[in-house]
Amino acid sequence: MKCIKYSEDFERLWNSFDGAYGNKGSKKRAYSVYKSLDVYADDLQMLLNAVGFQKAEKQQKMISGQFYENFQHVERWLRNERWTDEKGRRNNITDPADEALYAKYPHLRPQ
């Protein structure tokens, strides 16, 4: 049987999705979409930051008893460019590391 060898960067992204917030879906299909996006190092960090922001928002809502949507399957999250979602910008969550992130990705700064 031939097994797929996933890139280290894709593995980092795949592992950043928490199964507690939805099924990750097919790793093979997600990797296919990931490869088609031609993700570079800076792009990977942006994707990881967006997943982190969205996950933190989901955690905050869960803790406060509010409804939160599960993550889409990783394949769909990539295909639908969900890292660009407004809700992934963590408008109501503060973190000391945010300023460094906003310096690098000013479009993520809440308005």
Side-chain angles (χ1 to χ4, degrees), residues 61-107:
K61 286 183 176 183
M62 182 178 70
I63 289 168
S64 66
Q66 298 176 31
F67 171 79
Y68 62 92
E69 292 180 38
N70 284 336
F71 277 113
Q72 291 184 341
H73 290 172
V74 178
E75 169 205 2
R76 290 176 51 213
W77 191 88
L78 290 168
R79 189 171 16 92
N80 295 332
E81 299 181 3
R82 296 300 301 262
W83 64 88
T84 64
D85 288 357
E86 186 69 31
K87 63 183 167 190
R89 297 188 181 186
R90 248 181 22 163
N91 292 330
N92 56 349
I93 300 172
T94 58
D95 185 319
D98 282 351
E99 285 310 312
L101 174 69
Y102 296 144
K104 189 166 184 173
Y105 303 105
H107 63 281

Side-chain angles (χ1 to χ4, degrees), residues 32-61:
S32 178
V33 174
Y34 177 85
K35 288 191 310 185
S36 74
L37 294 174
D38 291 327
V39 177
Y40 296 99
D42 284 346
D43 300 327
L44 174 64
Q45 192 57 54
M46 180 198 55
L47 295 174
L48 292 169
N49 289 339
V51 171
F53 286 166
Q54 292 176 13
K55 186 165 57 172
E57 184 177 68
K58 291 175 191 315
Q59 288 171 340
Q60 186 181 50
K61 286 183 176 183

